[in-house]
Structure formats: C-alpha cells, structure tokens
Amino acid sequence: MKDNVFQEGGLLENMAQTAALRAGYTAQSENKPIAVGYIGAVNDFEIFDLPKVNDELTTEIAVENQIFDVTIISGKVWCNDNLLAKCEMKLFISNK
C-alpha cells in the first residue's frame, strides 16, 4: 500500500490467493489432501486502476485448461463495476 492505494503486486497476489482457495476447496470437497501449488508463469497482466483503502474487491477465477499437474487460470479483480486488473496464470500443483 502506498498513499492509501492498494498496489499492483497486491492485486496479483489477490488473484493467486483466490486460485489457491479454489484448489483447497475443491480438494476438501473431494476428500483429498490439500496440495501445495506454485505460480509458474503470469501472462498478460494488465492493471486498469488501483483500489483505495476500504474498497471492496471482487475476484473472479476461471479454469481455462488443466493438464496433469498444471492448471491455467484467468483472473480478474473488480471494484464495483470497474475492472481493476486481469491476467492469466500457470499454476503447478505438487502432489508430494
């Protein structure tokens, strides 16, 4: 945060944590152990605006493709009806 404005890295982390929450929820609902995941790549990361302190964010994650232990997701962060940021992430899931 800088000058009461949430920064770019925070928006990227918000999408990553939302993807992790999705993976954990899916594993738990399938009675599987929760695996550790890693961000392998971030593509097309775009920032359109930055939220201020106390703004309420809505984060959208969509699975675009999943092959073996690799999941490709698209993420978007909104504040009210304004798109703040979007990107595509390649996530690796460790089953060890």
Side-chain angles (χ1 to χ4, degrees):
M1 185 175 349
K2 183 178 179 182
D3 298 324
N4 289 325
V5 176
F6 199 54
Q7 297 299 292
E8 294 87 346
L11 292 173
L12 185 62
E13 182 65 19
N14 176 276
M15 288 183 268
Q17 290 296 327
T18 302
L21 177 65
R22 177 207 164 270
Y25 177 81
T26 300
Q28 187 175 32
S29 64
E30 295 173 357
N31 291 319
K32 295 180 179 177
I34 297 173
V36 175
Y38 304 93
I39 298 172
V42 175
N43 295 316
D44 302 323
F45 183 45
E46 293 184 75
I47 299 290
F48 305 105
D49 201 1
L50 295 172
K52 293 180 179 45
V53 172
N54 295 324
D55 280 351
E56 186 173 318
L57 304 180
T58 301
T59 306
E60 173 186 317
I61 297 296
V63 175
E64 300 297 332
N65 204 343
Q66 188 164 2
I67 301 170
F68 302 111
D69 294 339
V70 178
T71 303
I72 298 172
I73 61 111
S74 61
K76 294 179 181 176
V77 181
W78 303 82
C79 182
N80 299 316
D81 291 329
N82 299 317
L83 179 61
L84 300 179
K86 69 177 187 169
C87 76
E88 180 180 274
M89 287 185 193
K90 187 181 293 185
L91 307 171
F92 294 91
I93 307 299
S94 173
N95 291 319
K96 296 179 182 178

